[in-house]
Each structure stands twice: as structure tokens, then as C-alpha cells.
Amino acid sequence: MDAKNGNFILNNGVEIPCIGLGTWQTDGDTTCNAIKCALESGYRLIDTAAAYGNEASVGRALRECGMKREDIFITSKLRNACHGYQATLEAFEGTLRKLGTDYLDLYLIHWPNPLQYRTIWKQATTGTWKAFEKLYKDGRIRAIGVSNFMPHHIEMLKETAEILPMVNQLKLCPGIIQREAVEYSKKENIVVEAYSPFGTGSIFEVEEMKKLSQKYGKSVGQICLKWSLQMGFIPLPKSSNPKRIQENLDIFDFELLDEDIKLIASLENVCGEAPDPDQTTF
């Protein structure tokens, strides 16, 4: 498996690259240059969201990179303020305009239970998913999925859904393994993506990770990303540093021992905590 040819297969048969570039908290030239560097280095999956405020910068990178649109897997996510059937359809068109494309490879519901819909979240999220299904059936999106969804959120969708989610994007990093959500997703044949694979960044100062870095002759970041893959997650590392972008791709020439995979998973509290999607304040 490598970044150019290694793929996960979604439950509708669509192939998704096994590692992607995250773009949270970047915009403008920083985002554009990072994406172009990533694509030149071999990445083919770019992850953004309406809430990131950088879809236009991602679109600029797509225009300037010189690659065919169909060779790049683009993911975006629905803004929390736009749940419900009609609002979702309108938000999707806005995302396409900013990205400068006429389709998405993957579209996700960013959060299942936003604050402003808290008392009607089931109704709002059901309407949103119906809009996702329409866009998928119309060929506007190649795959549809969710982010930060726990089992009870997906069970609620299943009550009325015609199409099950193909992806669940979760915060997954050393010490944060969200076992229940991951096991449920895999049981339902939903591919799991790992956002914030380095956690808060404090992972780079953890002694156990430094020792593993020395043991394998790889950086702490590379150890984290390899761990994600061996756990069955698609990691979405974020960096604007060309050297780090390239380094994060150089993870296909070694394997972590089972004992070290378990050690990394057990490092509780080194990367904060997983968010509770039913208690978000946004």
C-alpha cells in the first residue's frame, strides 16, 4: 500500500486514498501552497470543510496544481448552521462554487447535534441526510458520510435512510481510540477516517513516542500516522511545511509491532479528549 496506489474501498465500491492532507486552521496562500506541495509529493486526498473558511483557497489550489480533477479526491463537510433538507442543498451549491468544481468525491455531515438544532436534532439531521441521498443519487457526490457521529446518531439515521454512510470521520490519535464508535462503524462497513492524528501537537513531546521514534528510525509524526493505518484508520495530517508534508508520506517502508500499537493506544490524556458531539457549544 502506498499513497499513490493504496486505497480503502468504500461500501459503494468507490476507492479512497489511504492518507490525506488536512486543511483545518489554514487559509489563503498557506493552504494553496500546502495542497500543491502535497499533490506534487503524492497525496491524492484533500480534506476541507465549510466551517474551515478555506474552500475557496482549496479551489484555487485545484486550478493551479495542473492535475486533472478526477485524479484528486476532494472531501468537504456541511456547516453546522445549515442542517435540514433545503438548507443542506443550498449549502452544497455554495461549497461547489467556492471549490470551483461540479462534484465532490465525499461530503460529510460535520457534526450530528449542533447547538442551534439541539432540541430538534433528529428531525434536522434526518432532513440533511435525505438531501445527501438526493445529491448522491443525482451524481453530484461520489460518496456520502458523517463526522463525529456516535453509534446512536447513525442508528437514528438508519430509521429512515435509504443509503448508509460510507465514512465516519473521528478524532483519533494516540490515547484517543473511541473504541465504541470505531468498532460500530467497522461493523456497519463504514470506513473510519482519523482527523487530528497528532492530537493537540503535544504528542511530539511524549517520552514513549520519542523512544519509538528512536526504535524505528522514524519521526514521531510518522509513527503516529503508521499507527493510524495499522489501526484501520485513514489519517488526515495537517502541515504547511513542505518537508513535513513529504515526511508524513514516507510511512510505507516499516511496520509497528503489535506491542507498540497497543502502547500508543494506551497513552491516555497525552492528546486531550475526544469531543462529545451531544455537548458541543457550536
Side-chain angles (χ1 to χ4, degrees):
M1 181 184 291
D2 61 40
K4 293 181 180 178
N5 302 307
N7 300 300
F8 283 51
I9 307 299
L10 303 181
N11 61 31
N12 66 341
V14 167
E15 297 186 12
I16 180 172
C18 64
I19 185 171
L21 181 76
T23 63
W24 183 47
Q25 293 183 324
T26 68
D27 197 10
D29 289 344
T30 299
T31 296
C32 186
N33 292 335
I35 290 172
K36 289 192 286 186
C37 175
L39 293 173
E40 290 171 2
S41 300
Y43 291 79
R44 292 297 178 264
L45 167 59
I46 307 299
D47 182 88
T48 184
Y52 299 171
N54 62 11
E55 288 174 322
S57 297
V58 174
R60 175 184 153 204
L62 296 180
R63 292 190 298 275
E64 295 180 359
C65 71
M67 291 182 59
K68 295 179 180 178
R69 169 65 183 88
E70 59 266 28
D71 292 334
I72 307 172
F73 195 101
I74 303 298
T75 300
S76 193
K77 309 177 196 74
L78 178 73
R79 189 184 297 274
N80 281 351
C82 300
H83 280 216
Y85 184 82
Q86 190 59 39
T88 296
L89 295 178
E90 293 171 2
F92 175 76
E93 297 300 337
T95 281
L96 290 193
R97 283 194 299 272
K98 291 176 181 177
L99 289 170
T101 184
D102 57 2
Y103 73 97
L104 282 180
D105 295 283
L106 176 63
Y107 199 35
L108 306 177
I109 303 178
H110 205 157
W111 292 88
N113 191 0
L115 182 61
Q116 74 180 86
Y117 296 102
R118 184 117 322 147
T119 60
I120 57 166
W121 75 269
K122 292 183 179 181
Q123 176 185 345
T125 305
T126 296
T128 288
W129 192 250
K130 286 300 178 186
F132 270 49
E133 291 179 329
K134 172 179 170 49
L135 293 165
Y136 175 74
K137 291 176 183 177
D138 289 347
R140 311 289 305 283
I141 311 170
R142 296 179 64 224
I144 53 178
V146 296
S147 179
N148 299 296
F149 272 53
M150 299 298 106
H152 67 278
H153 301 123
I154 299 176
E155 282 296 308
M156 186 279 296
L157 281 186
K158 287 170 63 177
E159 293 175 8
T160 57
E162 299 177 51
I163 303 167
L164 291 182
M166 296 148 195
V167 169
N168 191 6
Q169 189 178 119
L170 301 164
K171 182 177 181 180
L172 297 164
C173 51
I176 299 179
I177 58 175
Q178 301 213 57
R179 189 183 305 278
E180 182 182 4
V182 167
E183 290 181 354
Y184 174 89
S185 295
K186 290 183 176 181
K187 178 177 68 71
E188 295 292 334
N189 199 22
I190 299 171
V191 167
V192 176
E193 289 186 319
Y195 73 79
S196 296
F198 304 139
T200 59
S202 57
I203 192 63
F204 296 102
E205 301 303 320
V206 175
E207 287 302 318
E208 291 89 342
M209 295 300 293
K210 291 181 180 180
K211 290 178 181 177
L212 290 175
S213 175
Q214 294 177 346
K215 176 178 179 178
Y216 289 96
K218 291 289 184 177
S219 71
V220 169
Q222 289 170 322
I223 298 293
C224 287
L225 298 177
K226 190 64 178 188
W227 174 81
S228 286
L229 282 178
Q230 289 188 234
M231 289 286 287
F233 316 144
I234 296 176
L236 303 170
K238 186 202 77 174
S239 179
S240 57
N241 182 305
K243 182 180 178 181
R244 289 283 178 85
I245 289 172
Q246 295 170 11
E247 179 184 275
N248 288 341
L249 208 58
D250 185 21
I251 57 173
F252 300 98
D253 58 352
F254 76 106
E255 295 286 324
L256 297 172
L257 296 175
D258 287 345
E259 63 194 52
D260 293 328
I261 293 173
K262 293 177 182 177
L263 170 64
I264 294 169
S266 72
L267 296 174
E268 294 184 9
N269 302 318
V270 299
C271 291
E273 299 180 348
D276 182 345
D278 291 318
Q279 298 296 325
T280 57
T281 56
F282 46 84

